[in-house]
Amino acid sequence: MTQRIAGGVTYRHYDIDTPRGVTHGHLLSVDLGAPGVSVGLLYPSVVGARATVSSLADAEGAVAGVNGDFFNISEAQHPGVSPTYAPVGPAVADGRALKAAVPRKQRFGPSLPSGTSPEDVLGVDTGGRARLDRLRLDGAFTTADGTVQLHGLNQYALKNGSVGAFTSDWGSRSRLRATCGSDTSRGAPCSADVHEVVVRGGEVVSTSDTPGSGRITGGTTVLVGREAGAQRLRKLSVGDEVTVRHRLVPSTAGVTYRFAIGGFPVLRGGTPITGLDTAASAVRTAVGIADGGRRLLLFAVDGARAYRTGLTVAELARVLVEAGATEGFNLDGGGSSTLTARSAGAGGVSVRNHPTDGSERMVANGIGVFAPK
C-alpha cells in the first residue's frame, strides 16, 4: 500500500525476494517538480558532529528523510585520537560547500567499485534537477613566497605531504585526525611532522606544532599540514599576510549545486555499473534518480532480524531499477540505515524501518525531504 506523506511525496514498504530469502524495503518517492517540494542536506550544523536522522529532520521541518554518507565513526587504530564523525565525501548545503572528499584509502565503508571516486556525489542543482556528479576541491593559499595548493577542506584525513583548510563549518572536533593514516592505509600511524597556522583577517595570528580543537570563529581559517605541507607552513610567522581560497568544482560544466552528498554510484543509464559486489549482503540505504532527474527514490532495507539477510550492492542496483530509477547511488548502511517519514497529523517524523542496532544510530548527515504539510 502507498501512503501519502505530502503533496508529491509518497511512502511504501514491500518484500523483496533474494537467493538468501525475503528482505524488506522501504521507499520514499519524491517529485521534485511538485509545488514546494525539495530535498536538502540534513546535518548537525557543523561537519564534525552527528545526530539521529529523526532529530535532524524534525529540527529542519522535513517531512521525511534518510541517512547519508559514510563517516569517521571510530579510531581504534589510532589510540588517543578521537573520531571526528565527519563524512567521507563532499557535502553542499543550501548552495554552500561544507567539505571536500578524503583520500580514497582513508575512506570508511566498502571498497569503491571500479571507476568510482570518493569525490562522487548525488546532487540537486539550482534548477531542481537531481544528478550524479563529482565535486573536486579547487583551493590554495598564497603568501609572499608564492601559492600552495590545498588538498583538504574540513576533512578528517589529508593526503601525505599536503595542507588542508578548516573553517567554522568544521565545528569543535580535534583536527589531529587529519594527520593520521596515509595514502595507502587508513590505519597507518599519525604523522610525526605536522604544523598548524591560524589565519584571521588575512594574516597569521598563531602557529602550533600540534593540531588543535575548539570552535573556529567566522572569518578564520586554520591551515593544517603534514610532512612537506607542515614544512611549508613552518615558514609562516605571526603577522604574515595569507590569502586562502577554496571551492568545489563539478565535473559537469555549468552546473551549480544547491545540495550534494557523498557515497558511490551503483547505476548509470538504467544499467548497474561494472564490478558491483555480488557476495556481501547487508542492510543498505540508497537513492535512485528517475524521470530525468525530476524524481528521487529514497530507499532503505529493513534491519529487523527476520529481514537482515539484506541485499548485495549488485542486488541493490537491481532493486532501484525495478523502482523506476535510471541512476543509483549507495549511501551508508548497516546500523546507520534509517528511513523516516511524517504521518498525517503528526508533529514530527517517525522511523519506518527497523534499524539493526534496535534504535537509531547517530550519523553525520542525511537527505531531508521538504514539502508543504
Side-chain angles (χ1 to χ4, degrees):
M1 183 180 73
T2 299
Q3 177 186 352
R4 180 186 182 276
I5 302 301
V9 183
T10 60
Y11 161 76
R12 68 184 177 100
H13 60 97
Y14 56 102
D15 287 340
I16 300 169
D17 292 323
T18 79
R20 300 165 305 283
V22 177
T23 191
H24 201 67
H26 299 260
L27 183 69
L28 283 163
S29 178
V30 183
D31 181 359
L32 296 175
V37 174
S38 65
V39 297
L41 189 73
L42 298 177
Y43 72 109
S45 75
V46 293
V47 169
R50 59 178 178 166
T52 62
V53 176
S54 60
S55 66
L56 293 172
D58 287 344
E60 296 298 323
V63 299
V66 297
N67 65 288
D69 197 359
F70 301 91
F71 62 101
N72 175 208
I73 191 172
S74 66
E75 282 300 327
Q77 294 167 307
H78 301 118
V81 177
S82 299
T84 66
Y85 307 122
V88 166
V92 175
D94 297 322
R96 190 174 81 258
L98 297 180
K99 69 176 300 291
V102 302
R104 189 183 189 96
K105 292 296 186 178
Q106 291 266 25
R107 294 178 59 257
F108 283 77
S111 298
L112 289 176
S114 177
T116 65
S117 163
E119 296 176 342
D120 284 318
V121 296
L122 176 136
V124 176
D125 62 29
T126 52
R129 179 184 174 188
R131 61 176 80 220
L132 302 186
D133 208 339
R134 285 185 180 174
L135 291 177
R136 172 184 59 85
L137 175 64
D138 174 27
F141 68 95
T142 301
T143 71
D145 291 334
T147 298
V148 177
Q149 184 180 1
L150 290 175
H151 289 277
L153 173 62
N154 293 327
Q155 296 169 204
Y156 68 77
L158 297 171
K159 66 178 294 187
N160 289 31
S162 71
V163 176
F166 292 82
T167 71
S168 59
D169 285 322
W170 170 252
S172 59
R173 303 296 297 182
S174 171
R175 297 177 289 276
L176 176 61
R177 174 59 184 85
T179 63
C180 300
S182 72
D183 294 347
T184 58
S185 172
R186 192 181 74 206
C190 300
S191 174
D193 185 8
V194 301
H195 197 70
E196 178 174 282
V197 170
V198 179
V199 179
R200 184 180 304 122
E203 68 176 39
V204 175
V205 296
S206 68
T207 67
S208 174
D209 277 334
T210 303
S213 61
R215 190 173 73 90
I216 301 171
T217 59
T220 298
T221 301
V222 180
L223 300 175
V224 175
R226 55 180 298 176
E227 300 91 38
Q231 294 161 29
R232 181 63 185 81
L233 290 179
R234 285 195 187 93
K235 296 180 180 179
L236 297 174
S237 302
V238 173
D240 286 351
E241 294 184 357
V242 180
T243 301
V244 184
R245 65 168 182 84
H246 44 73
R247 61 175 183 150
L248 295 180
V249 180
S251 294
T252 305
V255 173
T256 302
Y257 287 99
R258 186 178 66 225
F259 150 76
I261 195 168
F264 61 84
V266 296
L267 181 67
R268 293 186 187 276
T271 302
I273 67 173
T274 58
L276 294 182
D277 183 74
T278 60
S281 61
V283 172
R284 303 186 187 277
T285 303
V287 187
I289 299 175
D291 300 341
R294 298 301 178 187
R295 185 160 59 100
L296 276 183
L297 302 168
L298 309 184
F299 175 82
V301 174
D302 201 286
R305 189 168 300 278
Y307 304 118
R308 209 168 289 177
T309 50
L311 297 171
T312 67
V313 178
E315 289 169 342
L316 178 67
R318 175 181 59 81
V319 166
L320 292 176
V321 170
E322 292 172 350
T326 53
E327 279 73 39
F329 199 69
N330 186 69
L331 300 170
D332 193 9
S336 298
S337 284
T338 309
L339 186 146
T340 66
R342 186 173 296 192
S343 298
V349 299
S350 56
V351 179
R352 299 303 181 99
N353 66 322
H354 294 87
T356 60
D357 294 348
S359 60
E360 281 188 86
R361 173 183 290 177
M362 291 194 292
V363 296
N365 59 22
I367 302 174
V369 180
F370 300 89
K373 312 287 191 302

